[in-house]
Structures are given as C-alpha cells and as structure tokens.
Amino acid sequence: MQHPNPAGVRRLAVLTSGGDAPGMNAAIRAVVRTATQQGIEVVGVRRGFSGLHRGELAVLGPRDVANTIQRGGTILLTARSHTWRSPEGRARGAQVLRDWNVDGLIVIGGDGSFHGGHYLQEEHGIPVIGVPGTIDNDLYGTDHTIGYFTAVETALDAVDKLRDTGASHERIFVIEVMGRHAGHIALDVAVAGGAEEVFIPEDAKSVEGVVEIVKASVAKGKASSIIIVAEGYPGGAQGVADAIASGTGLETRVSILGHIQRGGAPVSSDRVLASRLGEAAVYALMDGQKGVMVGRGGGGIMYTPLHETWEKRKDVNRDLYRCAKTLSI
Ligand code: F6P
C-alpha cells in the first residue's frame, strides 16, 4: 500500500547508536523493507555517529536484512560516539548526509543518540526520526523501548538459576541488573522472580531497612532470599550486600548480571515492537515529521519531540512497586 509522501523523501539513512539492544535488527529490517516498498532507497550507516562522521555508508536492500529479525546485536554496528557533541562533528556528519543525497535520518538508540539527532536537525535542517532502542526502557514517549522485554527475560532466567543455588546453600543472593539511572528492569525482574526486596534509583530508601527485612524473612522461616538491585541505586548490589552481611552476619553472594542482558535473540514482543516502530519511522519521514521519536502507547503510535524523551522523566510503574512489596511476605 502506498503511503502519501508530501515530504518527497527519495533516500533515507538509518543508523544504530549507543548500547545495542535485542530487536535493533528487526527495526533496521522494518525500515529497509518499508522504505523499499514505498520506492525510497535506504543507506545504512555503520558504527553510529562515529561512522557517519567518517562516511561509513552503504546502500541497503531488502535482501541485506534477510535472516536478521531473530538476531541480537545490530548488523550496522554501534558505538558510543562523542563526535556529535562538537559543532564540527555535527557539521561533518551533516555534510556526509548531504553528499549522499539523503532526505532524512532514522536514529535507532537511546537518549544519547537522540541528543545527536536533535542537534543535527536543529543546526543543519536534516529531518531526523528517532526509534527507541535501549534495554533500559527509560525514554519518555513510549510504553516500552526495543530490547527491554528481552533484557527482562534474560535477567529473569539468571535469577531463577541463582535461586536454585541460593536455596541449596541457604544463602542470600543480591543480584544487580542494568537500567542505567532507571529501575524498570529491576522492578519487572523482582516481581517476576519473586524477590524479597528490590532497590531502584527512583526510591532512595535506606539500605539499613533491608537488614530488618532479611531478619524478618529468617524469622518467618525463609532460609534463602533474592534481592534485586538496579545498577543506578547508590552503592549498587555490593553496597546492599555489605549492609546485610554486617547487619545480620548471614552469608551473602553478589551477582552482577552485566552485559549478558544486552545479548541474545529478541523475544517476540521486541520483534513486534521493532517492526511496528521501524515502519512508523519511515511513514513519519514521508509525512514531513521531523525531530520526533516514534513510540507506542495508548494502543497506537505516538510522536514525541526528541528533546522531551530525555527532558521528561518516565516513572516506574508505582503499582508494580507496591505489588512487589505486597507479594514478598
Ligand atoms: O543503556 C544500556 C546500558 O546497557 C545500560 O543499562 C548500562 O548502564 C550501559 O548501557 C552500559 O554501557 P556500556 O556498554 O558502555 O558499558
């Protein structure tokens, strides 16, 4: 089906930037195939904004993205680039896009990547559309980000395994999950993993309280406990474990799950989300939209100015936070 193209887009570029997230390939695939179907040529930029700066571009066709929907990582490669932070870097990137006759850029990434896209557009007038790709789920303007669902499944699988060994040894496991400054992953994993307690940056409670919780658990007959800590919580898992060890004398173990949470085949929810948002990003460019992130919420596609995705804060689900406490008796 042909989508109206009042913006007259004939060629667009796509890049992935910042931390990779499972489902980024599904989003690239959706961009390439939607654009191709609309008669628009796609240019893939390798290594995010660093690659753009260096002119690492190549035309991408539908067959180039075959057999990628199920693959983790990003076939375009990614980088945490600082080139967009300098006016010279942005000017160089814009010139490369003009040299390639690109009418618009689709940026798949998180808030650092969106900063780059925002300034590129503000200063050089190149239409930019953001697609939320980060495991952290910390972007305002979308219920979920691409990669989040998979990261939660990966962390949950690890928690279930740690519970087996924790129960066998009657130990307390303090498990740190990713999420940067946000506690979304921690909260979902805590509820789904049946954790005794969860520490998130959105609630700066005292770690001393955890000592009482663990003592109460022991008094109730619990021989082992699972405690989830978001990496953004002050002191991290080690701080919480130290407080438990010194306050109770009980044996604790710390497990920091780390980058394993960014890998693996995307689960179906991430593939579907990425496919919908990749398609929507192409249509948004054709409609003449610029400087917005396409997100999903309220049962449909939402458009949020790029700067609002980091200026406005997406809170954790407070009902879920309450539920986590209710169920850990
Ligand atoms: O933003 C994704 C993320 O995995 C965060 O959860 C984490 O804080 C950060 O990236 C780690 O970044 P790096 O891969 O640069 O160590």
Side-chain angles (χ1 to χ4, degrees), residues 268-312:
S268 62
S269 306
D270 278 325
R271 298 184 199 190
V272 172
L273 179 64
S275 299
R276 282 289 284 119
L277 294 184
E279 179 197 43
V282 174
Y283 292 157
L285 270 182
M286 295 171 76
D287 290 340
Q289 297 218 56
K290 45 184 81 163
V292 297
M293 178 192 80
V294 291
R296 194 174 60 182
I301 299 293
M302 299 163 63
Y303 306 92
T304 305
L306 285 174
H307 62 92
E308 284 188 15
T309 66
W310 70 83
E311 284 168 1
K312 295 188 175 175

Side-chain angles (χ1 to χ4, degrees), residues 30-54:
V31 167
V32 171
R33 293 196 169 178
T34 304
T36 305
Q37 203 214 26
Q38 297 296 326
I40 297 170
E41 195 171 32
V42 178
V43 176
V45 183
R46 283 159 66 87
R47 300 187 177 84
F49 287 102
S50 316
L52 176 62
H53 190 247
R54 292 191 296 262

